[in-house]
Amino acid sequence: MQESLPPGLPYPDDHFQSGLAQQIAYLNRIPEKHYMLENIQTSVTELKQVATEIDNWLRNPTQQPKLIAHQLAGQDQRGNVQVTGYYVPVMPARQEPDDVFRYPLYRRPAQRDENGQFPSREAIDFENALAGQGLEIAFTSDLIDNFFLHVQGSGVIEYQNGERKLLSWGGVNGHAYRSIGKELIERGEIDKASISAQSIRQWLLDNPHRQREILSTNPSYLFFSEGLSQPVGAANVPLTPLYSAAVDTSLIPLGSVLLAKLPNLDSYGNLIGHEFRLLLAQDRGGAIKGPGHIDWYQGVGDEALINAGNLKHFGKVWLLLPQNPQQKLIAQ
């Protein structure tokens, strides 16, 4: 559904403006392309128009951007989109293994097996399928922390001397992603209303004898790369805390600007309302599929962890497009 922008478009802060500049740079370096999205079509050129309209508005707030909003159908075809959160954790690590720090974080292997695949999570984490290949970047003290680092897609490790290193997305093993939260709900281990990153983590801590069983239900495994100074998303631009979003890029192209009605939570994680916010589609996620789910980036560290873990609510999302009289719906 296409509609006009709501009155009083939310005016973002300087962090958004910095992220938007990165977004425009991304759009300027990718080739022209046309996208077929739900029942509408757009292009790189039109995404540039949107970003430019908003950039002009930020420089001159009296100049309201001339845009339309195309609402995502949501999970229920009524516009309800699940909003979850992700963050970049900071984890203590060692460069060499010892009795405590013995769980490796790996680079992507150069060679696949005879079937053209990399090993599964179970083979890597519990059968040492990658050991001895010189792929270890660092070692942590907790396999559960490693698992959640894989889910987040990037993180910061901190060595004993205080040196920090950013680990970024370095590829995946190609196995299908399976949510262990969904697995625990289906097995009756955690009630659906109580599911969160914290409740999953606590269940794994409370059931150490079943960690292999449950973690291995998600065969997908993420590898890391080094060298970047700040977290970046799939668009290869720095992520913008509280403004970047991971999306299903078959429905929302990287480089899009979104208008979202997002959950507003209190300090205890309780829903107290919703607020409009502009978001930048700068990332994708293995668990983000279809028009009913986006992942909202919360930043780095413990506060971002808490905020991300509490997000499991519904909102609404619109893809912003230029006011173009020639733009036509593909199907009604």
Side-chain angles (χ1 to χ4, degrees), residues 78-327:
R78 296 182 178 181
N80 289 306
V81 175
Q82 185 181 31
V83 180
T84 54
Y86 71 115
Y87 70 105
V88 174
V90 178
M91 295 170 54
R94 301 288 184 269
Q95 291 175 317
E96 300 294 334
D98 58 29
D99 290 343
V100 176
F101 289 80
R102 54 195 177 93
Y103 300 103
L105 299 169
Y106 287 111
R107 302 178 186 86
R108 185 175 181 269
Q111 301 295 325
R112 302 172 188 263
D113 64 21
E114 61 274 10
N115 297 316
Q117 289 189 316
F118 294 122
S120 68
R121 174 177 300 280
E122 183 169 31
I124 295 171
D125 277 345
F126 299 101
E127 298 172 2
N128 300 316
L130 297 180
Q133 299 182 36
L135 299 171
E136 297 87 351
I137 296 174
F139 297 84
T140 75
S141 62
D142 194 326
L143 187 63
I144 299 172
D145 284 345
N146 285 13
F147 177 84
F148 281 99
L149 183 62
H150 292 176
V151 174
Q152 299 307 320
S154 64
V156 174
I157 54 174
E158 185 173 62
Y159 295 119
Q160 278 177 295
N161 63 2
E163 177 191 356
R164 287 187 171 189
K165 178 186 293 186
L166 173 68
L167 302 185
S168 303
W169 189 91
V172 292
N173 65 347
H175 295 249
Y177 182 92
R178 168 71 174 169
S179 166
I180 68 167
K182 184 175 181 181
E183 186 73 28
L184 290 167
I185 291 170
E186 291 178 353
R187 294 186 184 208
E189 300 291 344
I190 301 178
D191 184 79
K192 185 176 182 180
S194 303
I195 201 73
S196 67
Q198 286 92 333
S199 66
I200 294 170
R201 181 185 293 273
Q202 191 60 52
W203 188 95
L204 291 168
L205 291 172
D206 292 342
N207 296 273
H209 60 291
R210 297 185 63 190
Q211 286 181 13
R212 175 171 182 167
E213 170 196 349
I214 295 300
L215 292 177
S216 296
T217 62
N218 178 17
S220 178
Y221 194 93
L222 186 133
F223 305 112
F224 295 100
S225 62
E226 308 156 87
L228 297 173
S229 60
Q230 52 187 322
V232 301
N236 201 29
V237 300
L239 293 173
T240 312
L242 301 181
Y243 289 107
S244 289
V247 298
D248 182 344
T249 53
S250 69
L251 297 169
I252 301 173
L254 291 176
S256 301
V257 181
L258 308 174
L259 174 67
K261 189 176 182 182
L262 296 169
N264 186 12
L265 309 182
D266 65 17
S267 58
Y268 300 100
N270 299 311
L271 180 68
I272 56 176
H274 288 78
E275 61 181 3
F276 282 103
R277 179 179 288 262
L278 293 172
L279 295 179
L280 302 167
Q282 296 178 325
D283 207 358
R284 64 167 66 92
I288 312 303
K289 301 295 183 186
H293 189 188
I294 66 167
D295 220 6
W296 181 19
Y297 177 59
Q298 299 296 298
V300 179
D302 292 341
E303 183 179 355
L305 180 158
I306 294 169
N307 294 339
N310 286 332
L311 278 167
K312 52 178 181 177
H313 303 81
F314 284 86
K316 296 182 184 297
V317 178
W318 293 263
L319 172 64
L320 298 184
L321 298 168
Q323 281 186 358
N324 183 352
Q326 295 181 339
Q327 187 180 63

Side-chain angles (χ1 to χ4, degrees), residues 1-19:
M1 178 175 66
Q2 293 186 60
E3 54 190 72
S4 300
L5 292 177
L9 189 67
Y11 194 82
D13 60 25
D14 291 343
H15 296 292
F16 175 86
Q17 192 160 5
S18 175

